[in-house]
Amino acid sequence: MKLDRFIRLSIGLLVLLVFIVAVAALLFVTESALNVWDRLLEGPKLLLYGYVSVLAALVVAAAWLIVKLVVRRKPRPPATAPAALTRADIAKRLTEADKAGVDVSAAQAELEELAARQQAGAIHLCFFGEISTGKSSLIKALVPEADVLVSPVGGSTIDIRHYRWRNAAGTQILLTDVPGTGGLQDGLDAMAREEALRSHVVIFVCDGDLARPEQQAIRWLLQLGKPLVLVMNKADRYNREEQAVLMERLLDHLGKLGDDSARGRVVAVSAGGQTEVLEQAADGSEARVTRTRPADIGVLVVAINHLLEKDARVLDARRDRAVFRLAADKLAEAELRYRQQRSEQIIRSSTRKAVIGALAAVSPGTDVLIQGYIGTRMTRELCRLYGAAPRDLDVEEFLSLSQSRAGRVLPLSLAVAGNALKAFPGIGTVAGGLVHAVAYGLIFDALGRSLVHTLAKHGELLPEEAAKEFEEGIGEHIEAGVRQVARMALEQQEEKAR
Ligand SMILES: Nc1nc2c(ncn2[C@@H]2O[C@H](COP(=O)(O)OP(=O)(O)OP(=O)(O)O)[C@@H](O)[C@H]2O)c(=O)[nH]1
Ligand SMILES: [Mg+2]
């Protein structure tokens, strides 16, 4: 009880003391401020204004520093929405990426191809669809003198070909034959999709009701603002009623997929072409004969002409936008590849430095320090690579959060390192210093890999998230990197011995 009273009394005295000091300080500050103010008023005006400006500048600087240090920046808004992408946007991104060392050739080639097409001025119609729906046959029906490969075996068209066609209005048109989608050969789907983006109009060819991949492809094209005609080929295989039902279904699909003015742009045709049949002669013998199926593509020509009546500038602008999107996607792929390669290099070089440092240590330390120079540098370099500009505080917070986790995982890392080193021939008894160096390197390697993972996901350094990722993935990363790091350490040791 006595003790309680004593504590209360002490607290009371302390409060009194603080109060006296605060009042004294306030009086002192007020007095000196008023003093200074009076002297400033008496002195020349220039001094007064100068003094006030310096004071204001100091206040602004202090506020800026506080905001920079304490306030967490909001995540950046997502990259430019597809529709807003312009020539200037993509050109700017290309120049920046090129300067950073990214291979921009594929994206650049798209822009050059676009420029060449703009110069030539023809309208491009791309015949697109699943394999064996009759795309090549339709082109052959429109341009009978063209040398188009048609085959009953799906996947016959394996490259992109353009065929010149002039409609009744005299418009210069290029019909593009592309590989069918859904075939077995790798890369052909992408080739067809890219060419569809480069065209003004897509002639989407099917030969019955739309399967799910066809619906997805149509939705994708419509979302990109691509004008399209949906052609149901091989209409000769259906009777009138069946055809009517199928056409209604196709119209229904288009409506659901986002095209509400589809009527007139869904047509049923027969490309015709040739077919082999077995024919029985009067004497009973059988022979294979080639029959020509009659072509019936008038409605397709009408639909195409109807679409081309639109202002050519609108078609051009839509095509250009789709190509900018394509170029942007190719650039994004190149950036991704570049970042993957570069981050590997950064992590490897930091890990090597960590290993060298550990090997050079007089006696192997018992603690792994990742907050030092190498850790900070690796974190900063990886952040820069992913376009993140973290504050010093964030880098420190990430490294210190990871530090405690690294300490916890050290025994595991040492065990893995020791085991791995035993597997290398000619090592004999594994020295403690070497094991420690490998364990140290492994932790750096894991730190870098998990950081890359979070940077790729969030586009910025979120210290807690990144440290959590490090903790969760560390076991896996240590196992994955052990051979490489062990080899690295051995090379370093050999070099040291030489
Ligand atoms: N019954 C019928 N068969 C057709 C018609 N049009 C094309 N075919 C046949 O369909 C098969 C495929 O024709 P292609 O023109 O090679 O088809 P494609 O879409 O270019 O095929 P890929 O290039 O492999 O994707 C051939 O056997 C054609 O004879 C048609 O109107 N009616
Ligand atoms: Mg073909």
Side-chain angles (χ1 to χ4, degrees), residues 132 134-137 148-151 155-158 177-180:
S132 233
K135 301 173 291 295
S136 302
S137 302
V148 189
L149 174 70
V150 170
S151 162
S156 56
T157 305
I158 53 165
D177 196 11
V178 301

Side-chain angles (χ1 to χ4, degrees), residues 7 21 34 68 82 106 121 167 173 179 197 214 231 259 310 312-313 327-328 342 377 427 442 444 448 480 484 486:
I7 290 174
V21 170
L34 287 174
K68 201 164 157 37
N167 67 355
I173 295 168
L197 291 184
E214 291 172 305
V231 181
D259 190 345
K310 270 203 185 134
R313 280 171 306 182
R342 214 24 227 131
R377 216 173 138 177
I427 298 275
L442 280 177
F444 257 88
Q484 197 193 3

Side-chain angles (χ1 to χ4, degrees), residues 354-480:
V355 167
I356 294 173
L359 280 173
V362 185
S363 62
T366 47
D367 200 12
V368 172
L369 197 69
I370 60 172
Q371 274 166 294
Y373 175 72
I374 311 173
T376 311
R377 216 173 138 177
M378 177 171 80
T379 306
R380 287 219 155 274
E381 278 187 49
L382 289 175
C383 284
R384 195 169 328 122
L385 183 66
Y386 279 83
R391 299 165 309 158
D392 291 349
L393 271 187
D394 285 338
V395 175
E396 260 171 43
E397 192 184 345
F398 162 62
L399 288 173
S400 92
L401 285 173
S402 305
Q403 178 66 62
S404 53
R405 284 143 164 124
R408 259 180 270 148
V409 88
L410 184 63
L412 169 71
S413 189
L414 282 166
V416 172
N419 250 344
L421 282 168
K422 270 186 232 150
F424 279 87
I427 298 275
T429 349
V430 180
L434 186 64
V435 179
H436 191 266
V438 174
Y440 195 7
L442 280 177
I443 287 177
F444 257 88
D445 188 66
L447 185 76
R449 275 170 215 293
S450 54
L451 180 58
V452 163
H453 192 270
T454 39
L455 284 170
K457 198 159 136 199
H458 302 287
E460 64 177 329
L461 176 63
L462 304 172
E464 277 145 47
E465 293 250 359
K468 203 163 141 232
E469 175 70 39
F470 172 58
E471 182 173 26
E472 283 168 4
I474 196 162
E476 203 181 303
H477 286 307
I478 281 178
E479 291 287 349

Side-chain angles (χ1 to χ4, degrees), residues 254-296:
L254 269 196
K256 283 190 188 132
L257 294 171
D259 190 345
D260 35 17
S261 57
R263 213 163 277 277
R265 283 191 287 117
V266 182
V267 293
V269 298
S270 283
Q274 296 188 322
T275 179
E276 276 196 352
V277 287
L278 266 183
E279 232 177 38
Q280 208 167 31
D283 62 359
S285 64
E286 283 186 343
R288 285 198 164 274
V289 285
T290 307
R291 282 273 172 80
T292 303
R293 276 188 298 255
D296 179 7

Side-chain angles (χ1 to χ4, degrees), residues 91 162 428:
H162 304 285

